[in-house]
Amino acid sequence: MRKVSTRILTLYFAGVIIFFILRAIFVPPTFGEVGWYRAASVDEIAELETKIAEEFRCFNCHPNEHAEWSVGEHRNVSCEACHGLLKFHAENPEKQAYDEHLSPKAFNSSIEFCLSCHGVSVSKPEHFPQVSVEHSKYWDCLRCHNPHDPVG
Amino acid sequence: MKMMKRRRFILSVIGLGFAAAGLQLKVRSGKTSETGDSGEAVDDVYIFFVDVTRCIGCGRCVVACKIENDVPLEPIYFRTWVERYRWFENGRIEIDSPNGGFNGFKDDGGEGVEKSYFVPKLCNQCEEPPCVQVCPVGATFSTEDGVVLVDEKYCIGCRYCIQACPYGARYIYPPSGQVRSRVGTADKCTWCYHRITRGLEPACVKACPTGARKFVFPDSEDARKIRLIKGLRTLKPEMGTKPKVFYRGIDSEVR
């Protein structure tokens, strides 16, 4: 009987040791340091690069636009809303100055671009300025409005 | 006698196991509750505020989010999207979101529409996230600042979290995406964690032309202001997830 119990004990401890060895192999480093996850992944995600050039970088090179924009009705609209995120342009100004998907270039005409915000819709807030195509008589919006200072 | 010994040994092993499990449970539940009940914003965590009365449905947020976070451009993958709710005079409610609002919304004249508005949606970064609870490998988790993230190196792509999320905020990153390491893993809005930890606003907030989206840093002036706004709502408060995205101006039909 004694022999059996020592065998069981050895097996038991061998199992425990194997468990810890396997655990050391399979559980990634920093797992469980803060919670039930890999603590390093938080830093990995936090260290991702942003693609947005902040306003102050825009205005380093575009002071005239800043002068118009900062007093116009669009002063609360960020550069990014119309021109795209454009960090690649801020870092390398010779590169194209527009984003493929988020810029006037993504639309067929400036009318379409302006109407993407200012088109009439029942779903929009009532106080938001909305116009129909007839308002422009199919002229280019830029004939009358400066987008940086639209009603100035 | 020997029987007794063995029994005592087994019992003590079981007892130790329970004690260890209990200890772990206690450590896990030791995290303090941060947000109050639905509709009540508090100021020591990140908060997202959506003012539906300002949203014009232009979709700039959707585009900016996709660019900033390398979300595939196909119309079924979104970290954030915009829905249009329309109440018709005959009592019908219609909800649509063509391409997630990426190209904006086509207006059809609004005949018979009694009431309508746009509702931007994104991950609610719940305080009690069901997606974290179901993850079998610990690849999705709440950080200490209350943001739910996905560890793309550890996710096995089992899709449990996608089923668990009551808001449909998650998707599996397809092979067409630009980030190779993310392919086949769950992906979701992180409130632009890489930006907010640097003190910058998320991309969607930056791109919003009307200020319908607002990101609130803890202990900021905005955090105090938002506390004063009456009638804030969260989505599906009955789920007990305690979302941290607060909406102004939505009805209970918005879910």
Side-chain angles (χ1 to χ4, degrees):
Chain A
M1 204 57 190
R2 181 173 288 165
K3 210 177 163 188
V4 172
S5 65
T6 47
R7 250 188 219 168
I8 289 174
L9 265 183
T10 350
L11 261 179
Y12 178 76
F13 282 115
V16 169
I17 288 163
I18 288 170
F19 168 77
F20 278 108
I21 290 170
L22 288 179
R23 193 178 183 279
I25 294 168
F26 287 116
V27 176
T30 73
F31 194 96
E33 263 175 23
V34 207
W36 207 63
Y37 58 92
R38 213 163 51 86
S41 73
V42 179
D43 300 327
E44 280 166 23
I45 293 168
E47 276 158 19
L48 290 174
E49 279 300 312
T50 178
K51 297 192 180 68
I52 297 179
E54 306 300 323
E55 263 116 0
F56 57 88
R57 290 179 79 176
C58 304
F59 299 139
N60 277 343
C61 305
H62 301 285
N64 297 339
E65 281 75 7
H66 177 255
E68 293 168 0
W69 169 82
S70 58
V71 294
E73 282 297 308
H74 277 164
R75 62 185 174 277
N76 289 328
V77 180
S78 68
C79 307
E80 286 81 6
C82 294
H83 298 286
L85 309 186
L86 291 188
K87 193 181 172 198
F88 60 85
H89 169 68
E91 278 171 353
N92 192 354
E94 282 84 45
K95 250 189 165 173
Q96 60 180 29
Y98 63 91
D99 191 291
E100 235 177 288
H101 303 285
L102 188 54
S103 74
K105 293 257 191 317
F107 295 83
N108 295 329
S109 64
S110 61
I111 296 181
E112 237 176 74
F113 179 67
C114 294
L115 288 186
S116 73
C117 282
H118 290 288
V120 184
S121 167
V122 280
S123 308
K124 284 179 186 171
E126 273 170 41
H127 58 79
F128 186 77
Q130 299 164 41
V131 291
S132 60
V133 181
E134 288 76 42
H135 163 84
S136 76
K137 304 194 174 57
Y138 297 93
W139 280 12
D140 198 313
C141 305
L142 305 180
R143 276 195 172 187
C144 303
H145 299 282
N146 171 3
H148 291 130
D149 184 8
V151 285
Chain B
M1 190 61 189
K2 260 174 196 160
M3 278 303 286
M4 268 310 284
K5 247 187 175 171
R6 188 178 288 174
R7 185 179 293 169
R8 199 182 288 168
F9 173 73
I10 290 169
L11 278 178
S12 59
V13 166
I14 292 172
L16 268 177
F18 271 114
L23 204 71
Q24 196 153 17
L25 266 183
K26 208 181 163 212
V27 170
R28 280 181 145 199
S29 63
K31 279 196 272 170
T32 47
S33 171
E34 282 153 344
T35 355
D37 293 329
S38 66
E40 184 196 325
V42 284
D43 54 10
D44 55 348
V45 285
Y46 294 122
I47 287 174
F48 205 102
F49 173 63
V50 179
D51 192 346
V52 161
T53 60
R54 286 181 173 204
C55 182
I56 55 169
C58 61
R60 295 288 192 278
C61 47
V62 184
V63 184
C65 171
K66 284 208 175 197
I67 299 169
E68 172 72 9
N69 296 300
D70 297 310
V71 178
L73 292 170
E74 286 103 314
I76 48 172
Y77 306 111
F78 299 101
R79 282 191 175 198
T80 183
W81 66 100
V82 182
E83 290 173 4
R84 173 169 62 178
Y85 279 71
R86 282 182 294 180
W87 283 259
F88 288 89
E89 275 153 7
N90 56 14
R92 199 159 48 91
I93 304 177
E94 229 171 68
I95 307 156
D96 63 344
S97 183
N99 195 1
F102 189 92
N103 308 316
F105 290 81
K106 289 237 155 33
D107 189 59
D108 51 7
E111 250 172 69
V113 175
E114 200 183 345
K115 182 169 74 167
S116 176
Y117 47 73
F118 299 105
V119 182
K121 297 250 178 110
L122 67 163
C123 174
N124 282 285
Q125 312 290 2
C126 309
E127 202 193 314
E128 304 281 349
C131 52
V132 171
Q133 214 172 40
V134 298
C135 181
V137 295
T140 185
F141 51 89
S142 275
T143 61
E144 286 174 315
D145 36 19
V147 180
V148 178
L149 300 176
V150 181
D151 180 355
E152 61 189 39
K153 288 187 183 149
Y154 210 42
C155 174
I156 56 171
C158 71
R159 295 161 166 80
Y160 275 160
C161 53
I162 294 176
Q163 292 195 17
C165 177
Y167 307 103
R170 287 168 170 260
Y171 65 96
I172 288 281
Y173 200 83
S176 58
Q178 288 173 32
V179 186
R180 299 324 300 167
S181 60
R182 238 179 249 170
V183 171
T185 66
D187 193 45
K188 68 180 270 296
C189 163
T190 61
W191 281 0
C192 285
Y193 196 69
H194 57 291
R195 288 180 57 79
I196 60 174
T197 47
R198 291 172 179 138
L200 304 164
E201 301 166 310
C204 56
V205 177
K206 193 89 197 168
C208 181
T210 61
R213 289 165 177 257
K214 207 171 189 77
F215 190 74
V216 184
F217 289 93
D219 287 327
S220 60
E221 189 56 42
D222 288 336
R224 277 180 283 281
K225 273 188 208 156
I226 276 171
R227 274 193 92 107
L228 301 174
I229 299 174
K230 288 273 184 315
L232 291 188
R233 269 175 183 275
T234 55
L235 299 179
K236 301 187 185 174
E238 73 279 4
M239 304 290 287
T241 51
K242 299 189 186 165
K244 290 206 283 286
V245 177
F246 294 90
Y247 286 85
R248 169 153 81 180
I250 60 169
D251 297 86
S252 56
E253 286 94 332
V254 180
R255 288 169 58 74

